[in-house]
Amino acid sequence: MSDTPFDLVVIGSGPGGYVAAIRAAQLGFKTAIVEKDATLGGTCLNVGCIPSKALLQSSELVEEAQKSFDRHGISVGEVKVDLAKMLKRKDTIVRQLTGGVAALMKKNGIEVAQGHGRIGSASSVVVGTAGGPERTLATKRILLASGSVPVALPGVELDGDRVGTSTEALTYPEVPKELVVIGAGVIGLELGSVWRRLGARVTVLEYMDRILPGIDAEMAAAAQRIFERQGIKFLLGARVTGAKAQGDKAVVTWQDKAGETKSLEVDRVLVSTGRKAYTEGLGVAEAGVALDKRGRVIVGKHYETNVPGIYAIGDLIIGEGIPGLMLAHKASEEGVVAVEQMAGIKAHLNYDAIPGIVYTSPEIASVGKTEEELKAAGIAYKRGKFDFAPLGRAKAIQHTDGFVKILADAKTDRILGAHVIGHHAGDLIAELGLAVEFGGSSEDIARSTHAHPTLAEAIKEAALAVDGRALHGI
Ligand SMILES: Cc1cc2nc3c(=O)[nH]c(=O)nc-3n(C[C@H](O)[C@H](O)[C@H](O)COP(=O)(O)OP(=O)(O)OC[C@H]3O[C@@H](n4cnc5c(N)ncnc54)[C@H](O)[C@@H]3O)c2cc1C
């Protein structure tokens, strides 16, 4: 047991936990962070956001070289892919970033305890190391940030090779000829896009009758049309009943909309049917921390659980007014707000202003409410929509697919939701996120000068379109 107790012990070093630890140290807290894995950074840095974006970038370049260079009058001969080198580049980026988190811990004087963390009591965390003795950290507060893991599907036998999750899909040693993706959510579509661009024939099986559940339906329908044009095959209303490895192949079976049993033999199966809160060995039950039916830690508005002194953030949590979004930046913001509130600062997080991005090509980005949500809540709204196609910049860079849609309150004009599908939508959404955060109106955006020629002009035009006065609409 250390002499003076820590002010805060964080369990889990993902974007929630490590950012919370930095903010705590900045505020003068004596802080420790416990991580069971060999490297810091959690799902996001090790097997999530970062490696997936590295592969998305590499594979997008392959497709650009194959399909777009010629139109620019550029000839580079046959495009060859060295997959091992591509994967190594991804691993190098991951190593640099996880090493960067370790350096940040050191710089901020945060003690890193490597091992499995478990709640000992509301004022102690027990850290177990493989084969070694347990260590107890005395602390005034505990912050749980143990994140999430992929959900298993009944009948699907994950063998960590032919039938795997996103983690395996970041390291396939060769491009599968045939890849089945189970689940048309963000992760499945991003990684499905990677392997399609590298040459795989990709079939996506989705239980629902649409792709990208939770995203504005008009955007999802537009995205599906574009992905189909790119060569991804979608089988909607497909209830997967089984998948298993068979030699160097995998067989997946499902029931189609008509109830007929179908099956397919493919090279690999990527199961991406969502993620669940991870509390294994964390000692939540023993400590009496309340969980919801789906195993998520329930928190109040200060991110405190029902056990005083034990807090939780990130993929792990749910609460009143706190949606169970699984996003890295949401986890980080919660970490900052939770710690600042512990220090007596009046911090607040606006969940309506958290952008969500799908890093496919084109990207899909949203902030605030969807049209479906506004309709369900009976809120009267006006909508303004503008395509990228007429924009000079979109034509110059040959990225004309997609549009911007702004939803504004019918009476006050306040922006309630904004959605972008198009090149660099993930960067463009920042302006709209800020507008939502500041309680801005479509008129505010329409009156702001947007540089020409930029893709951001579509945002200004969509804001003008809310009031029927887009200038370049055709
Ligand atoms: C393929 C993929 C792509 C993604 N892409 C994006 C994206 O582009 N943008 C985005 O916003 N989100 C993305 N996400 C989601 C994002 O990774 C998560 O929302 C985010 O990592 C959650 O952060 P967290 O801190 O809550 O938990 P995590 O990042 O999951 O970190 C939890 C950490 O806690 C550790 N841990 C757990 N239990 C214990 C214990 N008992 N003792 C010690 N350590 C423990 C784990 O080892 C892990 O390191 C992606 C996810 C995946 C899988």
Side-chain angles (χ1 to χ4, degrees):
M1 183 95 64
S2 61
D3 301 327
T4 47
F6 286 97
D7 294 305
L8 180 68
V9 172
V10 182
I11 303 182
S13 71
Y18 91 75
V19 169
I22 293 175
R23 187 69 189 116
Q26 285 177 343
L27 290 165
F29 283 20
K30 183 182 174 195
T31 308
I33 190 161
V34 186
E35 174 55 56
K36 65 174 174 54
D37 288 349
T39 51
L40 304 180
T43 303
C44 180
L45 271 64
N46 289 284
V47 290
C49 328
I50 300 303
S52 60
K53 265 80 255 178
L55 291 182
L56 278 158
Q57 180 62 21
S58 298
S59 59
E60 194 168 343
L61 287 178
V62 171
E63 191 151 82
E64 287 252 312
Q66 284 169 337
K67 299 194 177 152
S68 303
F69 278 18
D70 188 49
R71 276 184 282 170
H72 287 271
I74 304 168
S75 165
V76 287
E78 193 195 344
V79 178
K80 288 189 191 141
V81 172
D82 181 340
L83 183 61
K85 193 167 175 182
M86 196 179 274
L87 296 176
K88 207 167 149 201
R89 186 192 86 96
K90 170 211 62 165
D91 293 340
T92 304
I93 295 165
V94 168
R95 205 168 41 249
Q96 285 167 345
L97 288 169
T98 55
V101 175
L104 284 169
M105 296 301 102
K106 198 167 172 199
K107 180 190 158 212
N108 287 282
I110 297 159
E111 179 162 342
V112 177
Q114 222 233 308
H116 194 106
R118 158 167 64 83
I119 304 166
S121 67
S123 57
S124 69
V125 169
V126 180
V127 185
T129 46
E134 283 190 343
R135 183 180 163 205
T136 300
L137 307 173
T139 182
K140 293 181 189 155
R141 308 169 191 86
I142 298 171
L143 180 61
L144 308 176
S146 53
S148 62
V149 288
V151 173
L153 204 60
V156 171
E157 296 172 26
L158 295 171
D159 74 338
D161 181 20
R162 295 286 150 186
V163 183
T165 66
S166 55
T167 302
E168 286 78 30
L170 292 165
T171 55
Y172 292 157
E174 77 292 321
V175 178
K177 281 198 185 71
E178 294 265 3
L179 171 68
V180 158
V181 176
I182 305 178
V186 179
I187 294 173
L189 292 178
E190 287 186 0
L191 291 173
S193 293
V194 165
W195 294 106
R196 179 199 61 74
R197 291 170 192 165
L198 296 178
R201 257 196 312 274
V202 176
T203 304
V204 179
L205 301 177
E206 167 58 51
Y207 178 67
M208 293 176 74
D209 60 1
R210 54 162 289 180
I211 68 165
L212 293 170
I215 282 179
D216 186 277
E218 186 181 10
M219 312 298 289
Q224 187 179 334
R225 282 193 297 274
I226 295 171
F227 296 150
E228 279 172 342
R229 211 174 63 210
Q230 292 172 348
I232 293 182
K233 187 172 170 188
F234 289 96
L235 297 177
L236 303 180
R239 192 172 69 82
V240 172
T241 49
K244 68 173 173 190
Q246 251 174 31
D248 58 0
K249 295 274 179 190
V251 176
V252 56
T253 49
W254 70 95
Q255 251 179 14
D256 70 7
K257 273 183 201 162
E260 234 178 274
T261 299
K262 300 272 162 104
S263 77
L264 206 56
E265 190 187 69
V266 293
D267 299 289
R268 290 189 187 271
V269 176
L270 159 56
V271 185
S272 54
T273 45
R275 298 180 62 84
K276 60 174 185 193
Y278 179 70
T279 54
E280 216 173 287
L282 195 57
V284 279
E286 297 82 347
V289 172
L291 307 181
D292 78 347
K293 270 194 235 137
R294 288 165 61 182
R296 296 174 293 189
V297 172
I298 302 170
V299 293
K301 67 175 186 259
H302 297 299
Y303 301 101
E304 198 164 21
T305 67
N306 60 314
V307 179
I310 302 183
Y311 299 77
I313 53 164
D315 279 12
L316 187 64
I317 65 162
I318 190 74
E320 210 184 312
I322 300 178
L325 292 171
M326 292 194 173
L327 292 169
H329 42 286
K330 174 247 183 201
S332 299
E333 295 298 339
E334 285 175 346
V336 169
V337 172
V339 166
E340 289 186 347
Q341 287 178 346
M342 290 174 201
I345 296 171
K346 286 195 170 56
H348 169 73
L349 178 55
N350 177 1
Y351 283 97
D352 274 334
I354 295 182
I357 299 161
V358 191
Y359 294 85
T360 44
S361 182
E363 292 179 353
I364 306 154
S366 305
V367 66
K369 304 287 185 216
T370 64
E371 282 201 58
E372 293 69 42
E373 284 168 339
L374 293 176
K375 281 181 189 143
I379 298 170
Y381 65 93
K382 300 176 286 180
R383 49 174 255 158
K385 195 175 151 194
F386 195 82
D387 290 344
F388 284 103
L391 294 183
R393 187 66 190 280
K395 285 201 194 308
I397 62 172
Q398 278 192 190
H399 284 289
T400 48
D401 271 340
F403 56 88
V404 176
K405 177 164 86 170
I406 294 179
L407 308 171
D409 189 284
K411 259 205 208 118
T412 65
D413 193 37
R414 185 179 175 142
I415 297 173
L416 303 172
H419 307 273
V420 185
I421 175 167
H423 195 58
H424 283 305
D427 296 306
L428 294 172
I429 202 73
E431 172 185 359
L432 293 158
L434 202 65
V436 173
E437 180 72 44
F438 286 5
S441 63
S442 73
E443 183 68 13
D444 289 330
I445 291 186
R447 293 273 167 208
S448 307
T449 306
H450 287 65
H452 176 74
T454 58
L455 296 178
E457 286 173 288
I459 293 180
K460 180 186 170 94
E461 290 276 9
L464 285 164
V466 168
D467 209 20
R469 54 188 219 271
L471 296 165
H472 294 88
I474 37 175

